[in-house]
Amino acid sequence: MRASPRTSSSFVDTLPTFNARPDLFPTGLTILKAIVVARWLAWAWMFSIVAFISADDLRHPVAAWTAVGATLALAGVSTAFIRSDASRLLRASFVAAEVGLALALSIVDGYVFEPGHVFATSQSIATQWPLLAMATAGVAFGPVVAGILGLLVGPAEWLGAEFNDFPAFGTEHVVSFVATSLFFAAGGVVFGLNARLLKRAETEIANRRARDEVGRMMHDTVLQTLALVERRSAASDPDLAGAAREADRELRDYLFGAAGRSAVDLETRIRQIVERARRGHDTSITVSVIDDGCRLTDEHQELFARALGEAVTNALKHAHAKRVVVFAETDDRGQVFASVRDDGRGFDTSVTQSSHGLNQSVLARIESIGGCATVTSTTDGFGSGTEICLWSSTRMAGSPS
């Protein structure tokens, strides 16, 4: 199966793109081996039809045996490719040759047999070659290409009926041709979609294994170094020790996720982040959290708390405040409102776009979970200060602080 540069599952993922040498994933190789075996079985059945089962009905035996030889050559070439370089079975040249042969067999079927054969119960010389061709096309170029190619089988069988000197086509015959096209198109789409899903699953497994390997390497080097820094600086430099401990925690979260960690409620999460932000500052901070059942996911809670913590950090670094008040509460839908208010010097909110910390660390985080934020600040010296309000959902905007 060829690799796609896209990772998201969408209609765009189904659009065909072509490589001269498509990538082949492990399960794709297994599928191609199964198709090679199926080609030999289809050839053996085709040989039996021409040599024994329908030999008496042949009117052009040379053409029939030529078709048998062509399928034998294709089966032999595919066997050689699967042993030397299986990705060659997914090249456009091979797929085109197999599809072309399958369509030709559907046409030749009417030519090599006596008139009346095409809608009789006798065996078709094409056997399962069209289905095998659609399977190869689906694995190589995805469901769209395979589906389009499958639609050509019905018209090919109509040409075969013309060569078979069929007297007149009725409604039931037209329906038969249409049904044939839809059947082989559906077969190609199914093969293409399944191959794509298997490719995506194997890629995710490979990425997870690579991440685990990086995690083991980081554990044996960087994480142990951070632990050593924390132990040796605990007494002499508490801020450095705290920073090393925090870097260790964040790196572990990134590498290993939340697996094995105990659940942390909203209040605990907010208090931990605020405490982390106040390190190295002697400003008074009051934290009040009313959690009546937060329904945010752990990831969204973490992003909300980090945005809140960054708002506190901005107040401590830039406002020169004597006091910071942090308040958070949940509503009856489990959404969260929070505010960070300080009594320091305010700023002109019309130039806040130049503030990377506010825009990226506060506003961008809140917007990423579908929420919003407002900033209110005064600089007149009387009642000066700043308040940043955060809502986890835009439907909460306008709630009283």
Side-chain angles (χ1 to χ4, degrees), residues 24 52 59 76 79 124 135 157 163 167 173-174 206 208 257 272 293 342:
L24 184 63
F52 307 109
R59 61 171 173 168
T79 302
S124 170
E157 292 198 350
F163 280 114
H173 304 119
V174 175
R208 189 177 301 113
Q272 288 176 345
D342 66 68

Side-chain angles (χ1 to χ4, degrees), residues 7 73 89 154 165 266 379:
T7 59
L89 296 172
D165 299 326
L266 178 65
T379 59

Side-chain angles (χ1 to χ4, degrees), residues 126-183:
T127 65
Q128 300 304 316
W129 286 101
L131 185 60
L132 295 176
M134 297 312 115
T136 304
V139 174
F141 298 117
V144 174
V145 171
I148 294 174
L149 293 175
L151 294 175
L152 301 177
V153 180
E157 292 198 350
W158 171 76
L159 289 175
E162 291 285 355
F163 280 114
N164 197 237
D165 299 326
F166 194 76
F169 297 107
T171 302
E172 67 276 13
H173 304 119
V174 175
V175 171
S176 176
F177 293 138
V178 173
T180 298
S181 291
L182 294 178
F183 170 78

Side-chain angles (χ1 to χ4, degrees), residues 238-262:
D239 290 340
L240 177 60
R245 182 167 56 253
E246 177 59 22
D248 179 278
R249 189 189 73 84
E250 291 187 351
L251 185 56
R252 288 179 185 276
D253 287 348
Y254 175 76
L255 292 173
F256 309 117
R261 290 184 298 162
S262 59

Side-chain angles (χ1 to χ4, degrees), residues 44-379:
W45 182 242
M46 182 182 181
F47 177 86
S48 299
I49 292 172
V50 175
F52 307 109
I53 299 174
S54 300
D56 295 337
D57 297 329
L58 292 175
R59 61 171 173 168
H60 295 101
V62 175
W65 284 108
T66 300
V68 172
T71 54
L72 176 63
L74 182 68
V77 169
S78 67
T79 302
F81 284 170
I82 204 71
R83 291 181 175 179
S84 59
D85 184 3
S87 67
R88 298 175 70 179
L89 296 172
L90 301 180
R91 288 182 177 178
S93 57
F94 180 86
V95 174
E98 183 170 30
V99 172
L101 178 59
L103 296 176
L105 290 174
S106 298
I107 298 173
V108 170
D109 179 64
Y111 176 74
V112 301
F113 287 108
E114 295 291 343
H117 163 78
V118 290
F119 287 107
T121 57
S122 56
Q123 296 295 324
S124 170
I125 195 175
T127 65
Q128 300 304 316
W129 286 101
L131 185 60
L132 295 176
M134 297 312 115
T136 304
V139 174
F141 298 117
V144 174
V145 171
I148 294 174
L149 293 175
L151 294 175
L152 301 177
V153 180
E157 292 198 350
W158 171 76
L159 289 175
E162 291 285 355
F163 280 114
N164 197 237
D165 299 326
F166 194 76
F169 297 107
T171 302
E172 67 276 13
H173 304 119
V174 175
V175 171
S176 176
F177 293 138
V178 173
T180 298
S181 291
L182 294 178
F183 170 78
F184 286 104
V189 170
V190 169
F191 271 101
L193 287 176
N194 285 338
R196 183 153 294 172
L197 290 174
L198 289 170
K199 167 70 173 179
R200 184 176 299 133
E202 289 192 355
T203 300
E204 291 176 354
I205 292 172
N207 289 341
R208 189 177 301 113
R209 289 176 177 174
R211 189 186 185 102
D212 291 343
E213 182 63 28
V214 171
R216 286 190 291 269
M217 184 272 292
M218 296 289 282
H219 178 273
D220 294 339
T221 55
V222 178
L223 292 177
Q224 289 188 0
T225 301
L226 290 173
L228 180 63
V229 170
E230 180 186 354
R231 287 196 301 270
R232 293 191 175 182
S233 61
S236 60
D237 194 339
D239 290 340
L240 177 60
R245 182 167 56 253
E246 177 59 22
D248 179 278
R249 189 189 73 84
E250 291 187 351
L251 185 56
R252 288 179 185 276
D253 287 348
Y254 175 76
L255 292 173
F256 309 117
R261 290 184 298 162
S262 59
V264 179
D265 59 26
L266 178 65
E267 180 175 4
T268 301
R269 199 184 302 267
I270 289 177
R271 290 187 180 277
Q272 288 176 345
I273 291 237
V274 171
E275 183 61 30
R276 194 181 310 146
R278 72 179 300 171
R279 289 174 184 166
H281 300 273
D282 55 5
T283 303
S284 172
I285 301 180
T286 302
V287 180
S288 299
V289 180
I290 303 175
D291 184 4
D292 292 329
C294 178
R295 296 181 184 176
L296 299 184
T297 64
D298 287 343
E299 179 184 1
H300 284 190
Q301 283 191 45
E302 183 68 19
L303 288 172
F304 189 94
R306 284 179 178 273
L308 192 65
E310 185 62 28
V312 173
T313 299
N314 287 341
L316 295 175
K317 285 184 177 181
H318 307 300
H320 301 288
K322 296 181 179 179
R323 184 177 181 182
V324 176
V325 177
V326 179
F327 173 78
E329 66 174 348
T330 57
D331 67 0
D332 54 0
R333 294 183 295 109
Q335 297 296 313
V336 184
F337 163 78
S339 72
V340 176
R341 180 181 301 172
D342 66 68
D343 61 357
R345 64 183 185 187
F347 62 93
D348 185 356
T349 57
S350 64
V351 296
T352 56
Q353 295 301 316
S354 63
S355 173
H356 177 82
L358 179 62
N359 290 335
Q360 299 301 321
S361 298
V362 179
L363 303 182
R365 279 192 175 120
I366 290 299
E367 291 173 358
S368 71
I369 65 174
C372 60
T374 62
V375 180
T376 304
S377 186
T378 57
T379 59

